[in-house]
Structure formats: structure tokens, C-alpha cells
Amino acid sequence: MTRKIQFETLAIQSTEPQGDESGSVANAIYPSTTFKREADGSYQSGYIYTRDNNPNRQLLEQTLVQLEGGQAAFAFASGMAAISAVLQTLKAGDHVLIPDDAYYSVHAAVKEVFARWGLAHTLVDMTNMGAVEAAIQDTTTLVWLESPSNPLLKISDIRAISKVAHENHALCVVDNTWCTPVLQRPLELGADVVMYSTTKYFGGHSDCLSGALVMGQQAPDELASQLKNIQKLNGAVPSPFDCWLITRGIKTLHLRLMKQVENAKKLAEFLHHNDKIKAVHFPDLAHHPQHDLAQVQMPAGCGAMLSVQVGHNQTEAMAIISHLKLFTTATSLGGIESLVEHRKSVEGDDSLTPDNLIRISVGIEHIDDLIFDWQQALK
Ligand SMILES: *Cc1c(COP(=O)(O)O)cnc(C)c1O
């Protein structure tokens, strides 16, 4: 009888030490940059040099392949390094579609770095299928998706957009950082590649910068070999210790994230019913414009990120932030501690984020304490 093993079990099983003779139950760290060569020129361990590969990186990559149901994975020194690797597979004259509210640095990289190498791009409202179809050009080779979006939590239809991309001979790559495979499975919805800033929920403790790409089963073989080559030649690889931290984080990913999702839902409901709050952006609330799509696309929960609009401007929003005691004011997300951030002032001058928007990354603290903190800050 074959039975599909569940995510929680797979996360433990796939991260167990492999080929370790000590009997160690926890993983070892292999800081070595170089590996022994035999007299006949061969490398018995399969490892040569850590920029090419390393036991800690290999374990992390193999784990990601299993968790995502992909064909190959590549780990990077940051989420942005993973994103840049995808863009570097394109050629001068290619055109990419990017969400109009993509992670801020994605747009900046395309505009400030890749445009000079001949990559064209169009910003699109990915919640509007007509707009997506209209933006596709003959030279479009990549559709970049991020759902939910940052910081307005807009949901785009990964299945429908992957289909449109494929009909136009373009790849569809999904930044799944905010969901992880626990909540959303882009490869099963038709995407070719999934991208992660593993800095966030995978690591989970705000202490390790890293990123990854996972290829779907139907992604072209050539893409995987190109990405492998870029990973090695650009050298933006995570250290063995970073890989070890992310691998360790994966063991508790499901447990942490589901608790964060539960807390986020309760906090969103509380904030939604508070008259000081002008708007709550959270896909699990019934009034969210893509609530129905979110339920289908993220069946296990709509994530642990939300944003609220409060007061009339930046000063009033910042005043509320200053009254919060349990939420640390800092950028980033996905750690076990709750964070808040005035998003617009972090993004830069051309940010379209509303002045009075506060982005919240909900942690694993007790929900009563988190709600009480907002209650006293809003008084
Ligand atoms: C943080 C983040 C990134 C960038 O990842 P880094 O690890 O900071 O380079 C990309 N996309 C999303 C959605 C993120 O939250």
C-alpha cells in the first residue's frame, strides 16, 4: 500500500543526516571549502569545491525538491540572488512581466541593473487577467508572480496566469516567500519555478539571509542547467552554516507557520472590527476582493502577513507604531517574533504604498497579548 507521507513528517525525514558515520541525530556542519581528490583524479565524495557544492547545501537543496515536489533546487546567498539568477537566464531583447506591486527590490533590479543589459519589462496589475494578456509581447519570455503581494496582499491567479504564460511560450516563476509550500504550491498550479527568500519563514528566526529556486517537473531541462551554471559562476551561494540553519528551520516550519497563520487571522479580525483602523488587507477576511480565489489557492491558510491603514498620514501611522510594545519595528518578516513596519518610508520615493499603511508580520506569541498590544496602542 502506498501512502503519501505528510508535509510535517517529510520535513523531519528529508532533513536527517545522510552518510554520517558518527550516528549523530543532528546534522553536522561542513565548513570545508575544498574536498579530497583521489590519485585517479576522481572525487569519491562527489564534492570538489564549496562554491560548486557542499554537503550542507546539497541536503538543503534535496530537501526543497522533496517538499515542493520539484525536479531540482538551487540555494543562493539571498532571495535577491535567486531572483537575479532567474533574470540572468534571459537574453538581451527579452521582455518580462512584473507585478505592479512586486517586492520592491525586484522592480529596482529590473530597472537599475537588467535594463542596462537589454531586458525590457512591463509592470502589470496581476489581479486583472485582461491586463496580463494585453501586456504580453512577442518577446515576453518570463511572467513573474508574487501572491499574496506586498504590502497590499493582492491575490493573483497562479493557475490562470501560468496558462497564459505558457500559451505565449513564456515561463512563469512564482515568488512564494510569504506562503512556503505549507500554504501554497505553485508548481502544482502550473508554475515552472518557485522562488524563495528562505531568509523569511524557512529560516524562521531572523538570523540567516538566503534564497532558493525549485524547478517544476515540467520546467525545461536547459533552464535547470543554466541556473546551476549561474549559481556556480556568479558564486552568490549560501555558506554551509546558512544552509544548516535553513535546514534546521525546515524541521519546525509547519509548526511555526500554522501558529502564525492562526494568530494572523485572529489579529486581522480584531483589527477589522476596530473603528480606528481604516482598512485591513488580509485575504482571509470575507471582504477581501480575491477572498474566494485565496481560499482555493491557499487552502491551508492565507498566511501570516497583513497590512492595515490607520490615521491620515505617515505621522499618524508612525505614532500608532510607537505605542506598540510587543511588535518590534523592523523590516522583514517570517520570524517567530511579531514585527511592524511603516512600509512606504522603507520602499523609497517612487513607492505606491499608501502613506498610512503599516505592514505586520505576525509571530508565535500568545494571541491575547498581541491583540492587547494593538488595543492599547489604538486607544
Ligand atoms: C524578502 C523578500 C525577498 C528578498 O529576499 P532577500 O532574502 O532579502 O534577498 C523577495 N521576495 C519577497 C516576497 C520577500 O519578502
Side-chain angles (χ1 to χ4, degrees), residues 76-88 103-110 113-114 144 175 177 195-200 209-213 236:
F76 291 88
S78 68
M80 282 311 299
I83 291 168
S84 292
V86 172
L87 295 173
Q88 284 173 317
Y103 179 72
Y104 191 75
S105 300
V106 173
H107 185 207
V110 166
V113 180
F114 289 94
W144 189 268
D175 180 340
T177 299
M195 173 264 148
Y196 289 108
S197 166
T198 45
T199 311
K200 316 293 169 52
L209 192 76
S210 55
L213 299 171

Side-chain angles (χ1 to χ4, degrees), residues 270-283:
F270 164 79
L271 293 167
H272 177 57
H273 290 110
N274 186 290
D275 349 315
K276 293 256 175 72
I277 300 284
K278 300 211 153 74
V280 180
H281 305 284
F282 187 61

Side-chain angles (χ1 to χ4, degrees), residues 108-236:
V110 166
K111 211 169 53 175
E112 292 163 30
V113 180
F114 289 94
R116 291 198 291 128
W117 290 74
L119 187 68
H121 73 276
T122 304
L123 299 180
V124 188
D125 174 0
M126 295 287 179
T127 64
N128 178 343
M129 285 308 294
V132 175
E133 283 174 69
I136 297 227
Q137 301 177 7
D138 291 344
T139 51
T140 305
T141 48
L142 172 67
V143 178
W144 189 268
L145 283 187
E146 193 186 317
S147 181
S149 74
N150 177 8
L152 287 171
L153 283 291
K154 292 199 284 183
I155 305 291
S156 45
D157 189 335
I158 296 173
R159 192 186 288 281
I161 295 174
S162 299
K163 189 161 170 275
V164 169
H166 294 153
E167 281 164 3
N168 290 278
H169 312 289
L171 290 174
C172 181
V173 180
V174 177
D175 180 340
N176 201 35
T177 299
W178 284 22
C179 294
T180 84
V182 173
L183 303 178
Q184 182 167 270
R185 308 192 59 89
L187 299 181
E188 291 168 14
L189 298 169
D192 299 284
V193 179
V194 176
M195 173 264 148
Y196 289 108
S197 166
T198 45
T199 311
K200 316 293 169 52
Y201 291 102
F202 278 91
H205 296 73
S206 309
D207 55 9
C208 175
L209 192 76
S210 55
L213 299 171
V214 189
M215 309 287 102
Q217 299 291 350
Q218 84 291 1
D221 292 343
E222 192 204 308
L223 182 68
S225 56
Q226 251 183 316
L227 286 168
K228 173 79 199 149
N229 211 27
I230 290 168
Q231 180 193 40
K232 172 169 127 184
L233 299 180
N234 272 0

